[in-house]
Amino acid sequence: MNRRRAVSASNSKPSRTSPYDPKTVEARLYERWERNGYFHEEPDPARPPFIICMPPPNVTARAHIGHGSTYTPMDALVRYRRMCGDNAEWLPGTDHAAIATEAVLVRELAREGASRETLGREKYLERAWAWARECGGTIERQFRALGFSPDWARSRFTMDEGLSAAVRRVFVTLYRDGLIYRGKRLVNWDPIAKTTISDAEVEHEERDATLWYVRYPAAGPSTPLAGARYARDDITVATTRPETMLGDVAIAVHPDDDRYKAWIGKSVLVPPLLTRSIPVIADTAVDPEFGTGAVKVTPGHDATDFEIGERHGLPSLSIMDLEARITAADVDVGPYAGLERAETRARIVADLRAAKLLVKEEAHRHAIAVSERTGAVVEPLLLEQWFVTAKPLAKPALDAYRDGRVRFVPERYGRTYEQWLENIRDWNISRQVWWGHQLPVWYTPDGKTIVAESEDEAIAQAQELYGTGELSRDPDTLDTWFSSGLWPFSILGWPEKTPELECWYPSQTLVTGGEIIFLWGARMVMLGLYVMGKEPFRDVFVTPLVFDAQGRKMSKSLGNAIDPMELVEKYGADAFRMGMLRQLRVEAQEVRFQESRCEEARNFNNKIWNVTWYVLSLPEQLPSALTLPKTAALNPADRWILTRLHDTIVDVSGLLDGYELGNAAERIWHFIWYEFCDWYVEATKLEQARETRAAVLTFVLNNAMRLLHPLAPFISEEVWLALPHDGDTIMTATWPDPLEVPLDRETAGRMEVLRDEIVRLRNERAALGVAPNAALDAKVAPDAVSAYERELFARLAGVRIVPDVAASGRVEIEAPEDFLRERYEKERAHLRAEVERGEKKLGNAQFVAHAKADVVEKEREKLERYRSELERVERAMSESAQ
RNA sequence: GGGCGGUUAGCUCAGUGGGAGAGCGCUUCCUUGACACGGAAGAGGCCACUGGUUCAAUCCCAGUACCGCCCA
């Protein structure tokens, strides 16, 4: 990208406001960026693409701290690659979030005394659309306030017509390939959302519970089938869910468990009704250590039991309906019919106790399945649902990882991904909510299934195959994650062949929180490979979860949730971003978020603002172009800061390439504050710095702002515009090039030594209690210190150098004898210890023989240096003693 | 139960097979002509514990303890 335009000097000098006020800057700059189309790109095959598909936030969402931790890195990466000249594009959009949105709507309707059924599907959906449109703007507005730079013109919504067409096309294709089927399976039922959910949407929560020990009486010819009496012989079973006893179909024991060998093949009666007899079977899935070693088998309401049932050819009995109430549909449930499940549990336990069938109960901690979305305890139910056959899709997705075509940062998440895909089960994709993509599935009056991309097509098919056009559409909708799984290509216009699709699929990087690797990441890989034949991204950058400073999960109920917009209001977007980014470490799985980091970042911005003001108010004319003086004219401090700038550019670029945003932020921060402001700017106040300082200050500041821009876009732009610059916006300014920064390592090294000396002298001043404005004299050999260095000592250490042929080459302040002696003694002790350490090390033949040559050489040099220092101190001591 | 992390200064965290680091906090001093949202100096650490590998371990390996995440 050659963009040599006329250098524009600032025509709008920032007015002197201290402290820096982000409010007067951020909104104005963002508006300008957006108006000038700086976020927008067209597909350009001539440049390397850098595409990030924004994980679509829920259309009803408001920005939360998790957006801060995942979307800020995305923006930083896109801004960085944009400055590097890539065809960089951040593609935004929102998700219809079926279950979450429907939950809100249903609640709202209930308040009005209505329901979706009374409203009817069409009216209901109209309302949902209106609600989505109303909410949708909020999150995008908040993202703008955070300074995010996606190409808003390309924003998509998962229920847009184009994306819906993509969903139908993929569904039909999968169905025709035999990868989508309908079947009665045990699925996860969320009784609050009133829909099934996939395994990936189920969370496991540790809870205190009760383990009940229940007697199952042996069934025999002499045993009465009902009533209070039962055979003396019985088997005791431990269960956490007595309410499901009504659906028991067997008792299972481990085949090697001697205690129960005699029982296998016998029958027992199911309490508390005792009207049904079930067999005792042997299965290796039973853990003999759990409870009594005998467990009840309830295939209609437990996944493990379902598998046991399948193995033994046992029936599956459903005893609960969709309200999680007891139903007599499959089996006699006696007086419990119609009761809610918790109520049933209490009644059955009471009845067992009354019938003396309850042996004991004990406290028990175990994991229960909970709906991630509603928090409802998930009920496994046998239902007719639609599924995606997972294994054939998982295989290529596993290969993509194993071949290195998809890699994870940090790497360890790759193994998590691998394990999940290896153990993947068929994916339940039908939902009973209305807000979403309705299944493209129709049924003929006699139950034949038609799958087609449109109703017309379905009717045509039905006519041809079954001679009927009378169809009813399946009322279910698709899992939200089905449509988001198509995101990387559906937003580019697929199934149309668009230039965007051609150029921008696959994308380069997926940035996401670890919690949706399975829900979203893995499914994008599976569906991307299936539909496009190519994995949808190369890198998966997994960002840490955000906790509060005490390491607790942020939640509304705990009251510890941090609203990023409040922090933006308080400190500005740049400060929020820097505060967040500085806490992100690539390897971390969590961030204990500290608001103080945002406050520090605000202070940092103020520092930048003030140093800019210093540069702008120099008495001399600022250069009109961004050029450096001839190298020969540069003074030592100039050479030092330029060398530091060079190294900072190299470091920051490398860190950004490796997704190390936290360390990159730390690095640029350190350069600007502790090297540029604290040392270089102070050194420009020397008389001898006047010739070159305006050029070097503006050059370094300009470069520093470009390095900072991906992290803190607003203040970097504001400062960059105020100083000599090249172009219209820092957003498309070129990324700093270390080759354009002159290096002088020798002088830079000498400056580091002087800096240590100055610190030492300041320390001595402080120890002496010398007033800050009082100068101290130091006698130094005439040729040991240059005129430039003399001024440096005077200005930065308050030490006046007095040339003295009798003095040594070291700057030693004049001070009372006892003070000096104490100093010398301390120094001597330290040096002696160092010399001793070095001698011991080098005296070790093993060390000299085994250690690498450069390590040994370094030790030798160190020892030499300490020895001569020690010698000097000892000489000075004997001199002052005279 | 299986897998994966973490344990370094009061707090939050970097870091390296060869002399322990940052920011905040703390102490002392400073209204020095960019900045008190600032400047200067300083105190503070058996780098969780136990073994092993190595000339050399905070770093590599094994085990223990505690904290956490994911999956079942």
Side-chain angles (χ1 to χ4, degrees):
Chain A
M1 278 217 297
N2 197 347
R3 223 188 295 104
R4 281 270 143 217
R5 273 176 230 143
V7 168
S8 52
S10 83
N11 43 12
S12 64
K13 258 197 179 186
S15 58
R16 169 70 199 199
T17 57
S18 182
Y20 170 66
D21 179 15
K23 285 204 177 72
T24 63
V25 173
E26 295 181 346
R28 166 168 52 83
L29 288 180
Y30 196 94
E31 198 272 329
R32 176 169 174 268
W33 291 336
E34 199 173 359
R35 178 161 36 84
N36 289 348
Y38 296 147
F39 306 151
H40 183 74
E41 273 278 9
E42 289 296 328
D44 178 4
R47 286 181 286 147
F50 185 79
I51 308 305
I52 292 183
C53 300
M54 178 187 285
N58 290 353
V59 68
T60 55
R62 304 181 74 85
H64 54 73
I65 200 80
H67 292 120
S69 64
T70 51
Y71 291 66
T72 310
M74 280 182 243
D75 189 55
L77 292 170
V78 169
R79 284 180 182 273
Y80 167 56
R81 300 310 314 181
R82 195 184 279 131
M83 291 175 78
C84 290
D86 288 7
N87 191 202
E89 177 80 356
W90 189 13
L91 295 158
T94 43
D95 190 286
H96 64 284
I99 296 177
T101 309
E102 179 135 329
V104 175
L105 281 167
V106 166
R107 216 178 309 134
E108 218 174 69
L109 285 175
R111 264 203 299 274
E112 297 165 18
S115 71
R116 52 177 212 183
E117 282 74 17
T118 59
L119 210 60
R121 191 157 188 141
E122 201 175 319
K123 281 257 162 48
Y124 175 82
L125 289 179
E126 266 172 33
R127 188 160 166 155
W129 271 104
W131 165 246
R133 264 190 283 266
E134 191 187 320
C135 296
T138 304
I139 191 99
E140 293 197 349
R141 256 197 317 282
Q142 293 179 320
F143 282 2
R144 283 178 168 89
L146 286 160
F148 294 165
S149 64
D151 190 349
W152 291 116
R154 298 184 189 275
S155 186
R156 295 287 178 276
F157 179 50
T158 44
M159 297 240 305
D160 279 354
E161 185 38 48
L163 275 72
S164 300
V167 165
R168 291 192 297 270
R169 171 71 61 90
V170 173
F171 186 98
V172 171
T173 311
L174 281 166
Y175 180 78
R176 289 189 184 146
D177 285 351
L179 293 170
I180 281 184
Y181 66 92
R182 187 179 193 224
K184 194 168 187 179
R185 297 280 183 283
L186 198 66
V187 288
N188 310 298
W189 180 257
D190 178 335
I192 291 182
K194 301 235 184 321
T195 178
T196 59
I197 55 177
S198 68
D199 294 339
E201 288 162 299
V202 175
E203 285 179 343
H204 295 269
E205 258 180 35
E206 284 277 313
R207 283 198 194 167
D208 290 320
T210 308
L211 191 59
W212 285 277
Y213 288 75
V214 182
R215 262 204 284 265
Y216 281 59
S222 61
T223 310
L225 284 177
R229 290 182 52 224
Y230 47 87
R232 67 226 167 279
D233 209 7
D234 52 43
I235 190 165
T236 301
V237 162
T239 180
T240 55
R241 299 205 61 198
E243 69 276 19
T244 65
M245 287 167 67
L246 299 165
D248 288 352
V249 298
I251 297 297
V253 298
H254 195 278
D256 301 335
D257 194 334
D258 291 335
R259 294 172 295 178
Y260 297 111
K261 280 222 162 117
W263 276 95
I264 299 168
K266 300 245 167 71
S267 292
V268 294
L269 297 175
V270 181
L273 296 176
L274 303 176
T275 52
R276 218 153 44 79
S277 110
I278 56 171
V280 178
I281 59 169
D283 195 286
T284 50
V286 178
D287 174 12
E289 304 292 316
F290 178 79
T292 60
V295 295
K296 63 195 212 58
V297 180
T298 320
H301 294 278
D302 183 277
T304 313
D305 291 6
F306 183 79
E307 284 167 15
I308 295 176
E310 295 259 280
R311 279 199 286 277
H312 295 270
L314 296 165
S316 294
L317 306 178
S318 283
I319 56 146
M320 277 183 229
D321 63 14
L322 298 183
E323 309 282 324
R325 286 175 189 280
I326 304 299
T327 162
D330 285 0
V331 69
D332 174 30
V333 293
Y336 307 106
L339 293 182
E340 194 273 331
R341 58 183 170 171
E343 213 178 333
T344 313
R345 172 181 296 185
R347 286 275 291 273
I348 286 188
V349 169
D351 293 347
L352 288 171
R353 193 176 288 124
K356 303 224 170 356
L357 289 168
L358 189 66
V359 178
K360 62 170 175 177
E361 46 191 292
E362 61 185 29
H364 177 66
R365 198 166 168 77
H366 73 141
I368 56 160
V370 166
S371 166
E372 172 212 53
R373 192 53 67 189
T374 63
V377 175
V378 166
E379 189 59 52
L381 289 182
L382 271 173
L383 294 172
E384 187 90 21
Q385 295 286 307
W386 287 87
F387 296 86
V388 169
T389 310
K391 294 258 183 230
L393 294 174
K395 174 75 170 58
L398 270 170
D399 291 342
Y401 167 70
R402 289 172 179 156
D403 300 348
R405 281 174 284 137
V406 172
R407 62 176 200 121
F408 287 80
V409 181
E411 277 177 33
R412 61 189 139 85
Y413 286 106
R415 290 189 292 276
T416 312
Y417 167 92
E418 199 176 14
Q419 275 173 20
W420 188 76
L421 283 176
E422 278 168 353
N423 300 313
I424 197 168
R425 292 158 71 173
D426 287 357
W427 173 17
N428 171 207
I429 49 167
S430 45
R431 298 288 174 273
Q432 289 68 54
V433 295
W434 284 359
W435 174 237
H437 300 102
Q438 194 170 358
L439 299 183
V441 174
W442 287 262
Y443 304 105
T444 62
D446 56 347
K448 297 274 197 306
T449 303
I450 306 283
V451 173
E453 284 184 45
S454 69
E455 185 153 352
D456 290 348
E457 218 178 282
I459 290 169
Q461 262 189 57
Q463 291 284 11
E464 194 185 320
L465 291 170
Y466 309 114
T468 173
E470 200 185 318
L471 295 176
S472 60
R473 187 163 182 181
D474 193 310
D476 283 2
T477 53
L478 277 164
D479 183 359
T480 302
W481 296 103
F482 189 91
S483 52
S484 25
L486 316 179
W487 192 244
F489 49 90
S490 65
I491 49 172
L492 296 173
W494 187 90
E496 304 296 320
K497 279 201 176 97
T498 63
E500 284 82 2
L501 191 65
E502 184 73 20
C503 212
W504 290 344
Y505 186 93
S507 67
Q508 277 58 56
T509 300
L510 169 71
V511 183
T512 178
E515 72 279 10
I516 55 174
I517 290 181
F518 309 134
L519 281 171
W520 193 45
R523 275 142 183 192
M524 278 192 285
V525 179
M526 291 194 286
L527 291 167
L529 284 165
Y530 172 73
V531 175
M532 301 295 294
K534 236 189 269 176
E535 56 285 349
F537 32 74
R538 186 191 63 223
D539 290 357
V540 181
F541 174 35
V542 181
T543 56
L545 291 167
V546 183
F547 295 95
D548 74 3
Q550 283 82 49
R552 297 171 306 175
K553 210 165 194 158
M554 286 194 187
S555 73
K556 277 181 199 140
S557 52
L558 261 177
N560 63 345
I562 292 172
D563 178 356
M565 304 322 293
E566 274 176 28
L567 296 179
V568 169
E569 177 66 22
K570 221 160 146 187
Y571 306 111
D574 284 335
F576 171 72
R577 294 166 60 117
M578 278 300 267
M580 173 61 83
L581 289 171
R582 277 209 314 150
Q583 296 181 73
L584 295 183
R585 306 293 161 175
V586 172
E587 289 297 327
Q589 68 182 14
E590 65 168 55
V591 170
R592 297 191 171 190
F593 189 85
Q594 305 189 98
E595 183 177 331
S596 61
R597 291 308 197 95
C598 297
E599 196 182 332
E600 292 163 25
R602 179 206 57 189
N603 297 353
F604 175 66
N605 291 337
N606 195 47
K607 188 79 180 170
I608 292 173
W609 189 247
N610 276 300
V611 82
T612 304
W613 182 254
Y614 165 78
V615 172
L616 289 172
S617 51
L618 288 174
E620 59 264 38
Q621 181 77 34
L622 290 188
S624 61
L626 200 65
T627 49
L628 284 172
K630 286 206 166 45
T631 307
L634 295 171
N635 68 46
D638 296 337
R639 290 160 191 252
W640 171 75
I641 196 66
L642 289 166
T643 302
R644 298 304 301 146
L645 172 65
H646 172 278
D647 293 350
T648 303
I649 294 171
V650 172
D651 290 351
V652 171
S653 307
L655 290 166
L656 291 177
D657 289 336
Y659 301 103
E660 297 197 60
L661 297 157
N663 286 338
E666 217 57 66
R667 186 71 182 79
I668 180 73
W669 182 297
H670 189 268
F671 174 75
I672 291 175
W673 200 324
Y674 302 104
E675 297 186 309
F676 181 69
C677 291
D678 284 356
W679 287 95
Y680 182 69
V681 170
E682 290 310 312
T684 63
K685 294 172 181 173
L686 267 54
E687 281 302 315
Q688 300 192 39
R690 288 191 169 255
E691 259 183 59
T692 52
R693 68 181 181 188
V696 178
L697 281 165
T698 51
F699 181 86
V700 173
L701 205 43
N702 176 294
N703 273 273
M705 288 306 102
R706 281 185 277 153
L707 290 177
L708 180 66
H709 181 257
L711 314 175
F714 293 112
I715 192 163
S716 53
E717 172 82 307
E718 184 72 356
V719 168
W720 186 86
L721 285 171
L723 292 165
H725 60 272
D726 183 6
D728 301 321
T729 173
I730 194 172
M731 281 191 62
T732 52
T734 53
W735 185 250
D737 180 356
L739 295 176
E740 287 177 9
V741 185
L743 269 181
D744 182 349
R745 295 236 176 261
E746 203 185 329
T747 308
R750 170 71 183 160
M751 286 300 289
E752 300 280 348
V753 171
L754 288 174
R755 200 165 65 149
D756 290 347
E757 288 291 277
I758 288 167
V759 169
R760 192 196 97 230
L761 291 166
R762 284 170 174 173
N763 173 356
E764 290 179 359
R765 286 181 63 100
L768 271 172
V770 179
N773 50 0
L776 277 172
D777 284 348
K779 286 181 181 157
V780 185
D783 295 337
V785 176
S786 72
Y788 177 83
E789 290 170 6
R790 215 173 301 161
E791 203 189 338
L792 207 61
F793 279 114
R795 170 94 204 178
L796 300 184
V799 170
R800 188 165 49 222
I801 305 284
V802 181
D804 184 342
V805 282
S808 75
R810 198 163 108 132
V811 181
E812 302 280 14
I813 54 172
E814 301 195 333
E817 220 160 85
D818 52 343
F819 173 84
L820 284 178
R821 190 165 39 245
E822 201 183 308
R823 283 266 133 175
Y824 283 139
E825 268 163 14
K826 247 176 144 173
E827 213 170 331
R828 183 177 61 180
H830 169 247
L831 288 167
R832 274 180 175 165
E834 290 291 355
V835 167
E836 200 180 320
R837 198 189 61 83
E839 280 173 345
K840 200 170 147 197
K841 199 156 202 180
L842 286 161
N844 179 354
Q846 299 287 350
F847 169 71
V848 180
H850 287 95
K852 272 183 269 173
D854 61 317
V855 171
V856 177
E857 190 45 40
K858 237 174 83 188
E859 278 303 321
R860 285 218 169 89
E861 280 169 17
K862 251 161 39 186
L863 180 58
E864 259 336 286
R865 207 171 62 238
Y866 286 128
R867 270 182 178 151
S868 70
E869 279 284 286
L870 181 59
E871 213 174 296
R872 188 191 56 76
V873 169
E874 280 171 341
R875 201 170 46 235
M877 283 176 89
S878 65
E879 274 170 18
S880 70
Q882 282 162 13

